[in-house]
Amino acid sequence: MTAQTPLSLTDRRRALTGLLAAPLLMTAAGAVAAPTPLVPSPDLDTRSLDDIHKAAMAEGGKLIVYAGGDVPNAYAGVERAFMTRFPGMSIRMFADLSKYHDARIDLQLARGRLEADVAVLQTLHDFDRWKAQGQLLLYRPADWDAIHSEYKDPDGAYAGIGIIAFSNSYNTAMLTEATAPRDAVDYLDPSLKGRVVLTYPHDDDAVLYQFDRIVHAHGWDYMDKLMAQDVLWIRGTVPARLAVNEGRRAATFTASGTFANIPNAPSRFILPRNDVFQSWAQTAAILKEARNKEAAKLFISWMAARDTTVGRTGQWSVRRDVPAAGGMKPLGEYNTSPLRFKDFMKDRERIEILKTQFEHVIGPAAGPNPTGMKGVYLVQT
């Protein structure tokens, strides 16, 4: 049986009116209202990308995406690729911390002035919440069945578009693979004092999950020892990786990277020897009140397509038929669990406690928003 799709406020009022006017069913317990019929899940969109492109152009050819990220213009390459593949389309992908984008979307919805068509975020708990509130458009692209079931909503409310993992990055001019830290305890080596950069865990829930696992394994004493290492604490995970690339610090475990072998790269991304590492499916959804629905469908279908996935993955794919980059084994063969992170994200009370605890140990997250984004509305009208 297909799950019942949550209704908007208007639809709920209409449904209530219909129920009041409907005949009552008689049971032994008395009179009860006729049940509201279940809304079936949408069929797969079997249109070609070119056909959806035509529909999006007829709609106006514009698209606004709010995407989780922590540097300005993080998605410039994706924008260029999209507009090259679909001539005439205009796309703006605004990168900001997911915790700001979700609040921005909530406030826009409350004001009745939604700007975003698509949300691509790390805050996985938001998608089930928005689905329950009736805020997401159910949509299943043609490549839907190729996406691993654990990374998508069965009704089509949302789906992962790519796997992201955080682990170790080291500067190849400052450290060798043999001397680079791999597990949490390696970062306590005296030779690394003053040479490590890390993202504030209380400023990024994905990093918070990493630190939660570390404290679970090594106790809070680990944090005291880490603080004695003269760590450079920084806002943003890409800024942490850039600090390593530029030689301002030698290593970090709070950044992502690619498994592809890039000659003369200033840094290299490597997994732990023993420790658990962080991974999740960056997830996308179309807002039900989106102004550019066909453009949003085009974007989701394009991101789900095999050719697009193969061309942009630097780690693992959410698709069953796309191998990991760099000859890596499937994600399930490593010491990580994207689903555990999703469960972690749902426990907001525990997360707020953890944030306060780490802030007490490290101090408040210092510095401006690394994306420079401000305000509720990002499009100038």
Side-chain angles (χ1 to χ4, degrees):
M1 179 182 293
T2 304
Q4 183 174 346
T5 303
L7 300 176
S8 66
L9 178 60
T10 300
D11 290 338
R12 288 199 299 270
R13 287 171 176 166
R14 290 173 179 169
L16 179 60
T17 302
L19 286 176
L20 293 176
L24 297 180
L25 300 178
M26 300 303 297
T27 68
V32 296
T36 304
L38 297 179
V39 179
S41 296
D43 293 332
L44 294 181
D45 189 343
T46 58
R47 295 177 295 172
S48 68
L49 289 177
D50 291 334
D51 286 339
I52 307 175
H53 178 202
K54 292 177 183 177
M57 289 298 294
E59 181 185 60
K62 296 181 180 180
L63 180 66
I64 301 295
V65 179
Y66 283 2
D70 49 22
V71 289
N73 301 315
Y75 298 95
V78 178
E79 291 175 332
R80 287 193 298 270
F82 183 81
M83 290 187 287
T84 298
R85 174 62 180 85
F86 305 110
M89 291 295 299
S90 171
I91 178 174
R92 296 186 69 181
M93 296 186 68
F94 292 97
D96 203 356
L97 304 183
S98 293
K99 67 177 182 179
Y100 294 153
H101 268 328
D102 65 354
R104 186 174 280 124
I105 289 170
D106 283 334
L107 187 51
Q108 290 178 7
L109 288 170
R111 290 180 169 182
R113 294 173 55 194
L114 181 65
E115 180 176 88
D117 300 307
V118 175
V120 180
L121 303 176
Q122 168 190 293
T123 47
L124 305 184
H125 62 288
D126 285 319
F127 295 99
D128 285 320
R129 176 175 65 86
W130 282 331
K131 180 187 177 185
Q133 293 171 352
Q135 301 291 2
L136 301 182
L137 178 71
L138 303 188
Y139 180 68
R140 297 193 295 169
D143 288 62
W144 182 257
D145 291 339
I147 301 172
H148 284 285
S149 60
E150 58 263 38
Y151 303 140
K152 63 187 179 184
D153 174 68
D155 296 322
Y158 56 82
I161 61 171
I163 301 295
I164 300 177
F166 284 167
S167 190
N168 309 288
S169 287
Y170 69 92
N171 184 288
T172 54
M174 302 173 73
L175 295 169
T176 66
E177 183 174 353
T179 60
R182 302 286 288 267
D183 294 323
V185 294
D186 297 338
Y187 285 84
L188 304 182
D189 191 295
S191 67
L192 289 175
K193 186 170 183 177
R195 306 178 72 196
V196 173
V197 56
L198 296 171
T199 305
Y200 290 105
H202 40 296
D203 195 41
D204 185 306
D205 286 353
V207 176
L208 183 69
Y209 178 79
Q210 288 182 281
F211 275 84
D212 182 41
R213 297 299 86 204
I214 290 171
V215 169
H216 178 77
H218 303 289
W220 280 100
D221 286 348
Y222 175 90
M223 290 302 302
D224 297 331
K225 296 173 184 177
L226 184 65
M227 293 301 295
Q229 286 290 77
D230 189 24
V231 171
L232 170 62
W233 295 98
I234 196 169
R235 295 193 69 190
T237 58
V238 173
R241 177 168 56 82
L242 293 176
V244 172
N245 285 354
E246 296 163 4
R248 290 183 282 129
R249 289 294 189 273
T252 184
F253 61 77
T254 61
S256 189
T258 179
F259 293 125
N261 183 18
I262 302 175
N264 302 317
S267 66
R268 186 180 174 199
F269 181 77
I270 54 175
L271 297 178
R273 292 186 180 90
N274 303 300
D275 284 355
V276 176
F277 65 92
Q278 162 67 321
S279 65
W280 76 95
Q282 192 79 339
T283 298
I286 302 173
L287 281 304
K288 190 174 182 180
E289 295 181 20
R291 289 175 291 181
N292 305 299
K293 291 183 174 61
E294 291 300 325
K297 292 176 182 178
L298 178 62
F299 179 81
I300 295 296
S301 294
W302 178 66
M303 293 297 281
R306 190 177 192 281
D307 289 347
T308 309
T309 302
V310 170
R312 66 181 169 82
T313 184
Q315 296 185 346
W316 293 275
S317 173
V318 295
R319 289 182 60 113
R320 293 180 287 103
D321 57 350
V322 175
M328 299 295 286
K329 295 181 291 186
L331 184 62
E333 297 187 32
Y334 293 95
N335 195 9
T336 188
S337 175
L339 299 186
R340 287 182 183 175
F341 176 63
K342 185 175 183 179
D343 290 339
F344 172 82
M345 290 295 285
K346 292 179 180 179
D347 192 347
R348 304 313 298 175
E349 181 178 359
R350 181 167 183 270
I351 283 174
E352 290 306 313
I353 293 172
L354 284 171
K355 286 181 178 180
T356 303
Q357 290 173 331
F358 281 105
E359 183 174 342
H360 278 307
V361 174
I362 300 168
N369 180 351
T371 67
M373 284 292 181
K374 298 179 181 178
V376 178
Y377 301 100
L378 303 180
V379 178
Q380 300 298 318
T381 56

